[in-house]
Amino acid sequence: MAVRSTTARLSLVTAQAQSACLRCQRSARRQASTSASEVDVSEDVVSDSSLLTPEPSQDIVQSWNPVQRSRNRRKQLPPSRYKFRPPRYYRGPLHPHQPPPVSSPNSREFIPGPFSLPRLQQTYSSTLAPDLLSLLYTHHPPGTLPGPVGQRLRSWDDSSPYHKNRGLRPPKGRPTLPLLRRPITFRNVPRLEKIVVHHVIRDASKRDSSYLHVAGMVLQAITNVRATVFKAKHHILNFGMQKDKTAMAVKAELRGENMYYFLSKVVDVVMPRIKEYKGVSGSSGDGSGNLAFGLQPSAVGMFPEVEVNYDAYVLSFWGSSPMTSRRCRYGLD
């Protein structure tokens, strides 16, 4: 019995030793395969990381001077290469320094926006522009040009001997001839270009400049554009005006979004609230694209921006009527 137990123990110990040897062989094979793969990868890829690179010494850091390094160059780089702003003047298409396009924020002529789309502008694009094109369009077959413009001024009928050797007669009803229209196509549909709002302050020369300040504040409030001050061009002693010294008027020029917003306020808010308003006269334009009309002093207080802070404008800004002129590309008939 003792021999049998001893034999069983020996067989158990040998089995454990064999299993341990097998485990050692497997781990050795794995390590060998991983080391072989690392050797294969390290031939093409650097195993060192950039994070393990030591920092430069203080001597190298202190000796680094990029400005002096650029000055020591034999051939200096163009100065505009490191400038944020483009050249101030345009020197032609062949100059090496060309300004960026107007749409680039780096351009000097870049205007940000538009940030919104006014409703009046949408109405023009969707309704008014197609209607104007259909009304004003003149078709010319391909390959043909419109005929030449004939003599626009009238000649004398030679009913009197005094008509001999005289120039042509002036146009009827006006001192000058109206401008000629270009053929209307989809490229040049009549549209609104700008609105100019100006106001003359008569009391600014007689009393003090506070009237001018109030007028500028009101004009800036209703137009969203900072007003420009204009001074007298002539000496008029009775009115107390001195040339290039006495400020007499303020003006604001509107384009883009501000133009459409101001026009919509005038047409939709101010004009309907004026009592017995007869509208803008059709003869107020010059037939060449300019239309001018004025508002009564009480109508200025109907703008929403002024009506909210009506009591803030203590002085009598309503002494005269602000004039509004609109500029269109073509005549308003």
PDB file of all heavy atoms in Angstrom, residues 98-115:
ATOM      1  N   GLN A  98      -1.345  92.430 -54.634  1.00  0.00           N
ATOM      2  CA  GLN A  98      -2.724  92.614 -55.044  1.00  0.00           C
ATOM      3  C   GLN A  98      -3.640  92.600 -53.815  1.00  0.00           C
ATOM      4  O   GLN A  98      -3.438  91.805 -52.892  1.00  0.00           O
ATOM      5  CB  GLN A  98      -3.153  91.498 -56.003  1.00  0.00           C
ATOM      6  CG  GLN A  98      -2.459  91.547 -57.346  1.00  0.00           C
ATOM      7  CD  GLN A  98      -2.866  92.774 -58.153  1.00  0.00           C
ATOM      8  OE1 GLN A  98      -4.014  93.178 -58.140  1.00  0.00           O
ATOM      9  NE2 GLN A  98      -1.904  93.346 -58.849  1.00  0.00           N
ATOM     10  N   PRO A  99      -4.631  93.488 -53.773  1.00  0.00           N
ATOM     11  CA  PRO A  99      -5.561  93.473 -52.637  1.00  0.00           C
ATOM     12  C   PRO A  99      -6.478  92.264 -52.701  1.00  0.00           C
ATOM     13  O   PRO A  99      -6.753  91.732 -53.780  1.00  0.00           O
ATOM     14  CB  PRO A  99      -6.348  94.783 -52.813  1.00  0.00           C
ATOM     15  CG  PRO A  99      -6.288  95.058 -54.281  1.00  0.00           C
ATOM     16  CD  PRO A  99      -4.941  94.559 -54.736  1.00  0.00           C
ATOM     17  N   PRO A 100      -6.961  91.813 -51.565  1.00  0.00           N
ATOM     18  CA  PRO A 100      -7.891  90.674 -51.564  1.00  0.00           C
ATOM     19  C   PRO A 100      -9.240  91.079 -52.145  1.00  0.00           C
ATOM     20  O   PRO A 100      -9.529  92.279 -52.288  1.00  0.00           O
ATOM     21  CB  PRO A 100      -8.002  90.305 -50.080  1.00  0.00           C
ATOM     22  CG  PRO A 100      -7.689  91.570 -49.369  1.00  0.00           C
ATOM     23  CD  PRO A 100      -6.679  92.289 -50.210  1.00  0.00           C
ATOM     24  N   PRO A 101     -10.097  90.140 -52.495  1.00  0.00           N
ATOM     25  CA  PRO A 101     -11.419  90.495 -53.029  1.00  0.00           C
ATOM     26  C   PRO A 101     -12.257  91.223 -51.983  1.00  0.00           C
ATOM     27  O   PRO A 101     -12.008  91.142 -50.775  1.00  0.00           O
ATOM     28  CB  PRO A 101     -12.019  89.141 -53.404  1.00  0.00           C
ATOM     29  CG  PRO A 101     -11.263  88.137 -52.596  1.00  0.00           C
ATOM     30  CD  PRO A 101      -9.874  88.690 -52.474  1.00  0.00           C
ATOM     31  N   VAL A 102     -13.270  91.923 -52.469  1.00  0.00           N
ATOM     32  CA  VAL A 102     -14.116  92.719 -51.572  1.00  0.00           C
ATOM     33  C   VAL A 102     -14.873  91.831 -50.590  1.00  0.00           C
ATOM     34  O   VAL A 102     -15.185  92.243 -49.472  1.00  0.00           O
ATOM     35  CB  VAL A 102     -15.093  93.564 -52.414  1.00  0.00           C
ATOM     36  CG1 VAL A 102     -15.959  94.443 -51.523  1.00  0.00           C
ATOM     37  CG2 VAL A 102     -14.327  94.435 -53.399  1.00  0.00           C
ATOM     38  N   SER A 103     -15.154  90.590 -50.987  1.00  0.00           N
ATOM     39  CA  SER A 103     -15.887  89.686 -50.102  1.00  0.00           C
ATOM     40  C   SER A 103     -15.043  89.152 -48.946  1.00  0.00           C
ATOM     41  O   SER A 103     -15.581  88.556 -48.013  1.00  0.00           O
ATOM     42  CB  SER A 103     -16.437  88.506 -50.909  1.00  0.00           C
ATOM     43  OG  SER A 103     -15.370  87.804 -51.554  1.00  0.00           O
ATOM     44  N   SER A 104     -13.731  89.350 -48.993  1.00  0.00           N
ATOM     45  CA  SER A 104     -12.860  88.855 -47.926  1.00  0.00           C
ATOM     46  C   SER A 104     -12.873  89.815 -46.739  1.00  0.00           C
ATOM     47  O   SER A 104     -12.827  91.034 -46.921  1.00  0.00           O
ATOM     48  CB  SER A 104     -11.427  88.698 -48.450  1.00  0.00           C
ATOM     49  OG  SER A 104     -10.545  88.344 -47.399  1.00  0.00           O
ATOM     50  N   PRO A 105     -12.909  89.321 -45.504  1.00  0.00           N
ATOM     51  CA  PRO A 105     -12.863  90.229 -44.343  1.00  0.00           C
ATOM     52  C   PRO A 105     -11.574  91.018 -44.242  1.00  0.00           C
ATOM     53  O   PRO A 105     -11.539  92.031 -43.545  1.00  0.00           O
ATOM     54  CB  PRO A 105     -13.031  89.280 -43.147  1.00  0.00           C
ATOM     55  CG  PRO A 105     -13.670  88.063 -43.705  1.00  0.00           C
ATOM     56  CD  PRO A 105     -13.151  87.927 -45.115  1.00  0.00           C
ATOM     57  N   ASN A 106     -10.505  90.594 -44.910  1.00  0.00           N
ATOM     58  CA  ASN A 106      -9.251  91.335 -44.861  1.00  0.00           C
ATOM     59  C   ASN A 106      -9.251  92.551 -45.779  1.00  0.00           C
ATOM     60  O   ASN A 106      -8.327  93.360 -45.703  1.00  0.00           O
ATOM     61  CB  ASN A 106      -8.091  90.423 -45.256  1.00  0.00           C
ATOM     62  CG  ASN A 106      -7.888  89.305 -44.260  1.00  0.00           C
ATOM     63  OD1 ASN A 106      -8.281  89.420 -43.106  1.00  0.00           O
ATOM     64  ND2 ASN A 106      -7.282  88.226 -44.706  1.00  0.00           N
ATOM     65  N   SER A 107     -10.231  92.681 -46.642  1.00  0.00           N
ATOM     66  CA  SER A 107     -10.263  93.787 -47.589  1.00  0.00           C
ATOM     67  C   SER A 107     -10.639  95.085 -46.885  1.00  0.00           C
ATOM     68  O   SER A 107     -11.407  95.095 -45.910  1.00  0.00           O
ATOM     69  CB  SER A 107     -11.266  93.497 -48.709  1.00  0.00           C
ATOM     70  OG  SER A 107     -11.401  94.606 -49.563  1.00  0.00           O
ATOM     71  N   ARG A 108     -10.091  96.170 -47.381  1.00  0.00           N
ATOM     72  CA  ARG A 108     -10.431  97.483 -46.836  1.00  0.00           C
ATOM     73  C   ARG A 108     -11.855  97.891 -47.203  1.00  0.00           C
ATOM     74  O   ARG A 108     -12.452  98.736 -46.525  1.00  0.00           O
ATOM     75  CB  ARG A 108      -9.452  98.544 -47.345  1.00  0.00           C
ATOM     76  CG  ARG A 108      -8.033  98.360 -46.853  1.00  0.00           C
ATOM     77  CD  ARG A 108      -7.109  99.421 -47.416  1.00  0.00           C
ATOM     78  NE  ARG A 108      -5.751  99.252 -46.946  1.00  0.00           N
ATOM     79  CZ  ARG A 108      -5.267  99.802 -45.832  1.00  0.00           C
ATOM     80  NH1 ARG A 108      -6.050 100.567 -45.090  1.00  0.00           N
ATOM     81  NH2 ARG A 108      -4.023  99.598 -45.466  1.00  0.00           N
ATOM     82  N   GLU A 109     -12.385  97.354 -48.263  1.00  0.00           N
ATOM     83  CA  GLU A 109     -13.729  97.691 -48.726  1.00  0.00           C
ATOM     84  C   GLU A 109     -14.769  96.678 -48.267  1.00  0.00           C
ATOM     85  O   GLU A 109     -15.908  96.713 -48.737  1.00  0.00           O
ATOM     86  CB  GLU A 109     -13.741  97.780 -50.259  1.00  0.00           C
ATOM     87  CG  GLU A 109     -12.776  98.815 -50.806  1.00  0.00           C
ATOM     88  CD  GLU A 109     -12.764  98.835 -52.326  1.00  0.00           C
ATOM     89  OE1 GLU A 109     -13.504  98.012 -52.912  1.00  0.00           O
ATOM     90  OE2 GLU A 109     -12.040  99.646 -52.904  1.00  0.00           O
ATOM     91  N   PHE A 110     -14.405  95.792 -47.366  1.00  0.00           N
ATOM     92  CA  PHE A 110     -15.333  94.776 -46.903  1.00  0.00           C
ATOM     93  C   PHE A 110     -16.410  95.390 -46.010  1.00  0.00           C
ATOM     94  O   PHE A 110     -16.104  96.175 -45.101  1.00  0.00           O
ATOM     95  CB  PHE A 110     -14.583  93.690 -46.129  1.00  0.00           C
ATOM     96  CG  PHE A 110     -15.474  92.659 -45.498  1.00  0.00           C
ATOM     97  CD1 PHE A 110     -16.108  91.712 -46.274  1.00  0.00           C
ATOM     98  CD2 PHE A 110     -15.700  92.666 -44.135  1.00  0.00           C
ATOM     99  CE1 PHE A 110     -16.933  90.757 -45.705  1.00  0.00           C
ATOM    100  CE2 PHE A 110     -16.518  91.730 -43.546  1.00  0.00           C
ATOM    101  CZ  PHE A 110     -17.134  90.765 -44.342  1.00  0.00           C
ATOM    102  N   ILE A 111     -17.666  95.065 -46.292  1.00  0.00           N
ATOM    103  CA  ILE A 111     -18.801  95.527 -45.491  1.00  0.00           C
ATOM    104  C   ILE A 111     -19.517  94.291 -44.961  1.00  0.00           C
ATOM    105  O   ILE A 111     -20.043  93.496 -45.744  1.00  0.00           O
ATOM    106  CB  ILE A 111     -19.758  96.393 -46.329  1.00  0.00           C
ATOM    107  CG1 ILE A 111     -19.019  97.631 -46.870  1.00  0.00           C
ATOM    108  CG2 ILE A 111     -20.964  96.814 -45.494  1.00  0.00           C
ATOM    109  CD1 ILE A 111     -19.867  98.496 -47.764  1.00  0.00           C
ATOM    110  N   PRO A 112     -19.527  94.086 -43.656  1.00  0.00           N
ATOM    111  CA  PRO A 112     -20.187  92.884 -43.126  1.00  0.00           C
ATOM    112  C   PRO A 112     -21.694  92.937 -43.325  1.00  0.00           C
ATOM    113  O   PRO A 112     -22.299  94.005 -43.349  1.00  0.00           O
ATOM    114  CB  PRO A 112     -19.819  92.915 -41.642  1.00  0.00           C
ATOM    115  CG  PRO A 112     -19.532  94.344 -41.354  1.00  0.00           C
ATOM    116  CD  PRO A 112     -18.942  94.915 -42.615  1.00  0.00           C
ATOM    117  N   GLY A 113     -22.281  91.770 -43.466  1.00  0.00           N
ATOM    118  CA  GLY A 113     -23.726  91.691 -43.636  1.00  0.00           C
ATOM    119  C   GLY A 113     -24.083  91.136 -44.996  1.00  0.00           C
ATOM    120  O   GLY A 113     -23.211  90.730 -45.769  1.00  0.00           O
ATOM    121  N   PRO A 114     -25.340  91.081 -45.339  1.00  0.00           N
ATOM    122  CA  PRO A 114     -26.481  91.501 -44.522  1.00  0.00           C
ATOM    123  C   PRO A 114     -26.799  90.485 -43.428  1.00  0.00           C
ATOM    124  O   PRO A 114     -26.602  89.292 -43.594  1.00  0.00           O
ATOM    125  CB  PRO A 114     -27.630  91.580 -45.538  1.00  0.00           C
ATOM    126  CG  PRO A 114     -27.251  90.609 -46.600  1.00  0.00           C
ATOM    127  CD  PRO A 114     -25.752  90.615 -46.679  1.00  0.00           C
ATOM    128  N   PHE A 115     -27.287  91.003 -42.301  1.00  0.00           N
ATOM    129  CA  PHE A 115     -27.620  90.157 -41.172  1.00  0.00           C
ATOM    130  C   PHE A 115     -29.107  89.818 -41.113  1.00  0.00           C
ATOM    131  O   PHE A 115     -29.523  89.047 -40.261  1.00  0.00           O
ATOM    132  CB  PHE A 115     -27.195  90.848 -39.872  1.00  0.00           C
ATOM    133  CG  PHE A 115     -25.726  91.146 -39.820  1.00  0.00           C
ATOM    134  CD1 PHE A 115     -25.248  92.419 -40.049  1.00  0.00           C
ATOM    135  CD2 PHE A 115     -24.816  90.140 -39.564  1.00  0.00           C
ATOM    136  CE1 PHE A 115     -23.891  92.697 -40.004  1.00  0.00           C
ATOM    137  CE2 PHE A 115     -23.461  90.400 -39.516  1.00  0.00           C
ATOM    138  CZ  PHE A 115     -22.998  91.682 -39.740  1.00  0.00           C
TER     139      PHE A 115
END
